[in-house]
Amino acid sequence: ISRVRDLVAQYQGTARIQDTISLTLPREENSAAITQQLSGIAGATGVIIQSMSLQSQALRPSRANGASEEVKAVGVSEISLRLLGTYEAVKAFLASVETNIRLMDVISFRAEVPSRAAAATTLNYNMVINAYYQPE
């Protein structure tokens, strides 16, 4: 009975690990979830999303350490964002993207002065973020 209990406890721990991995590297692209996460981060940090576009990239094979290992493809969703905000707000936005549960990285980042100088502290930011998933 104690062995069965140990096995059950071990499998329950595995299920929790699998759930966490599924949040970090989901099995599908789920554009709506990506959009929702980035919109939530923007709202929480005081950044205004002026535009957002999402484009699916071709599947990329992941790296394997040895020839005998199975190589799984990794899907990439490229998100182009145009943001408006203060430096502090965009800095907080980037920190939140970096610590978000879903695996994402910032590919490019550019700041520019708005054409209409609404406020000296507010800038436009263009960035590209990659969000990853591992299709079945």
Side-chain angles (χ1 to χ4, degrees):
I1 291 175
S2 66
R3 281 185 167 180
V4 170
R5 285 184 186 158
D6 291 343
L7 284 173
V8 168
Q10 183 180 358
Y11 285 121
Q12 286 176 342
T14 303
R16 282 188 225 122
I17 291 170
Q18 180 61 41
D19 290 343
T20 303
I21 290 171
S22 292
L23 291 173
T24 303
L25 193 62
R27 297 208 178 259
E28 58 186 16
E29 182 177 28
N30 199 351
S31 302
I34 295 170
T35 303
Q36 184 180 24
Q37 285 178 354
L38 292 174
S39 295
I41 291 170
T45 58
V47 171
I48 297 169
I49 297 178
Q50 294 179 317
S51 67
M52 179 188 309
S53 66
L54 194 134
Q55 183 176 10
S56 297
Q57 302 294 317
L59 296 178
R60 301 178 187 171
S62 61
R63 297 180 186 161
N65 293 332
S68 63
E69 291 184 31
E70 180 181 337
V71 178
K72 293 191 175 190
V74 175
V76 179
S77 299
E78 183 180 279
I79 305 104
S80 298
L81 295 165
R82 183 162 176 83
L83 307 173
L84 179 66
T86 63
Y87 171 77
E88 292 79 17
V90 173
K91 186 177 173 183
F93 178 87
L94 289 171
S96 294
V97 167
E98 180 180 282
T99 58
N100 188 28
I101 188 74
R102 181 155 186 170
L103 184 59
M104 297 182 185
D105 58 53
V106 177
I107 301 302
S108 68
F109 179 85
R110 188 177 73 221
E112 42 186 59
V113 177
S115 56
R116 292 181 241 152
T121 60
T122 303
L123 296 174
N124 284 329
Y125 299 88
N126 294 306
M127 69 178 67
V128 177
I129 297 173
N130 280 351
Y132 301 94
Y133 63 99
Q134 189 169 27
E136 292 187 48

